Amino acid sequence: METNNTEARKIILSGIQPSGKLTLGSYLGAIKNWVRLSDNYDCYFMMADMHAITVRQEPATLRKTVLEQIAEYIACGLDPDSCALFIQSQVPAHAELSWVLSCYTMFGELSRMTQFKDKSTKHTENINAGLFTYPALMAADILLYQADLVPVGDDQKQHVEICRDIAQRFNGVYGDTFKIPEPFIPKVGARIMSLQEPTMKMSKSDTTAGGCVYLLDSPDELMRAFKRAVTDSDTEIRYDPAEKPGVSNLMQIYSSVTDKSFPEIEAEFAGKGYGAFKSTVGEAVVETLRPIREKTEELFANKDYLAEIYRAGAQKAGYAANKTLRKVYKRVGFVQ
Ligand code: AQP
C-alpha cells in the first residue's frame, strides 16, 4: 500500500459479515461510501467471517458467500490494487488482539449493546459468548490498523463508540498505543429499512419475503419487490419517517441512488400516485445494480483471480496488523 512521503495518508477499516447475500442496505449504508472514500485513504476492507459465526452458518454457504463478497466489493468499485481486500480469519492478529481487548472491555458495557440484545432475542437457542464479546473483536479489527475513520451504517455506530472507549481505556493505562477512530455515517442511506416492514432495518438474515433486495437480484426480482413495497393509506409522497416510514424509506433509497434531495423528489412526484413512484424507484435501483451484478458474475467465475486478491490482501493487512499487535503485547508485558 502506497503512502504519501510528505504526509501519511489517513486510514480506513471496515467490513461486512458474510452472514448472507449482500443487500441494498449493505451497499448504500457501507460499500458505496467505501468507494467514495477510497481514493483519499489507505483502505482495509474485510469479509468479517469470524463475526459471521456468532450465528450458525452452513460451512459450504459461508465459503461461497465470502468469495461472492470479494467479487461484489470489486464490482462495486473497490480497486484491489490500492485497497487491501482480505478475509478476517486469514489475519490471525484479529483473534489475538481481540482476546487482549476483551480483558479491557467491561461486562456492563457489552450488556448495553443493542445488537446483542436484538440477536439474542432472535437466536434464543444460541446465545453464545462470541455474540456477547463481538464488540471486542470489532474493536480489534479497527484498532489493529490504527484506523482514523470507520465508515458504517447507523446500526454500527454503538460498536464504534465502544471501540473508542476500549482504546481510550487501554491508552490510559499503557500510554498512546491506539489511534482513536471516528465513525463515518452517510447522511443519506445510513439505515435502509425492510421493504415489507419499514420500521425494521433491511438485514441480510431477514427471511420475510420481499423485505430485502440483494445486489445480485435480477431486474425482475427487484421490480417485483419495489412494486410490492409497503407504503401507507395516504397518497402524498413526503419525507416523514415517523408518520410515513415506507414512503420515506423509498425516498431514502431513491435519493441515495440518484443523488436527488428530498425536496426535489417531493416535487418530482407531486400529484403522482404511489404506483408510479415505486416503479421509478425500482427502475433506478435496477440501473444502479445492473453493472454490479454483471461484473460480480464475471469475477465470481474466476476463482484463481479472487484467491490472488484475498491472499495479497491478507499479506498487506497482516503486515500492518502485526505491527500493532507486537506493540500491544509489549505494552501488556508479554515476553518478546
Ligand atoms: N439496512 C442497512 N442500512 C444501512 N446500512 C446497513 N448496513 C447493514 N445493513 C444496513 C451496514 O453494512 C455494514 C455491514 O454490516 P454487517 O453485515 O457487518 O452487520 P449488520 O449491520 O448486522 O448487517 P445485517 O445485514 O443486518 O446482517 P445480519 O442480518 O447478519 O445481522 C455495516 O456498516 C452496517 O452498518
Side-chain angles (χ1 to χ4, degrees), residues 17 19 25 29 119 152-153 155-156 190 192 201-205:
Q17 301 179 70
S19 46
K119 291 208 169 164
V152 286
D155 57 312
Q156 291 293 337
I192 301 298
K201 191 183 83 137
M202 183 182 285
S203 266
K204 287 180 232 93
S205 52

Side-chain angles (χ1 to χ4, degrees), residues 87-289:
I87 301 171
Q88 184 186 28
S89 61
Q90 296 190 346
V91 181
H94 288 252
E96 294 169 289
L97 183 61
S98 167
W99 173 254
V100 176
L101 294 184
S102 68
C103 302
Y104 299 81
T105 307
M106 300 301 140
F107 180 85
E109 55 192 356
L110 290 175
S111 312
R112 288 192 290 276
M113 295 293 113
T114 41
Q115 180 173 290
F116 172 70
K117 289 185 205 162
D118 290 350
K119 291 208 169 164
S120 50
T121 313
K122 254 198 218 161
H123 304 279
T124 44
E125 73 305 337
N126 183 23
I127 307 177
N128 59 71
L131 199 57
F132 188 64
T133 59
Y134 181 113
L137 177 57
M138 182 159 158
D141 301 335
I142 299 167
L143 300 176
L144 275 174
Y145 300 94
Q146 305 289 353
D148 294 275
L149 212 60
V150 188
V152 286
D154 195 39
D155 57 312
Q156 291 293 337
K157 187 170 172 223
Q158 202 186 22
H159 287 158
V160 181
E161 279 162 2
I162 189 176
C163 166
R164 288 167 56 88
D165 293 341
I166 297 168
Q168 272 156 351
R169 185 171 301 135
F170 192 97
N171 287 353
V173 178
Y174 299 104
D176 267 0
T177 308
F178 298 121
K179 193 173 289 167
I180 309 299
E182 296 287 339
F184 178 91
I185 297 169
K187 287 199 180 69
V188 179
R191 193 176 285 249
I192 301 298
M193 310 308 253
S194 158
L195 297 187
Q196 287 302 311
E197 291 178 63
T199 50
M200 286 172 54
K201 191 183 83 137
M202 183 182 285
S203 266
K204 287 180 232 93
S205 52
D206 181 13
T207 49
T208 318
C212 255
V213 286
Y214 301 99
L215 295 196
L216 302 186
D217 278 352
S218 68
D220 277 357
E221 288 169 315
L222 291 170
M223 286 308 293
R224 211 171 316 125
F226 277 97
K227 283 185 179 159
R228 290 181 43 224
V230 166
T231 44
D232 50 52
S233 54
D234 189 20
T235 53
E236 197 188 357
I237 290 154
R238 168 168 55 88
Y239 189 72
D240 181 348
E243 294 297 321
K244 299 170 75 68
V247 169
S248 302
N249 186 38
L250 292 170
M251 286 180 70
Q252 283 261 357
I253 294 172
Y254 191 53
S255 170
S256 201
V257 297
T258 60
D259 283 331
K260 291 180 186 173
S261 67
F262 294 145
E264 281 172 334
I265 297 170
E266 286 169 359
E268 182 179 343
F269 293 100
K272 294 188 184 154
Y274 283 168
F277 173 55
K278 291 200 268 188
S279 294
T280 307
V281 178
E283 283 155 15
V285 171
V286 165
E287 290 320 312
T288 302
L289 298 188

Side-chain angles (χ1 to χ4, degrees), residues 63-84:
R63 263 189 295 274
K64 176 170 181 274
T65 309
V66 167
L67 291 184
E68 200 167 76
Q69 203 170 304
I70 303 171
E72 285 173 307
Y73 281 9
I74 302 169
C76 286
L78 293 174
D79 175 3
D81 290 332
S82 57
C83 306

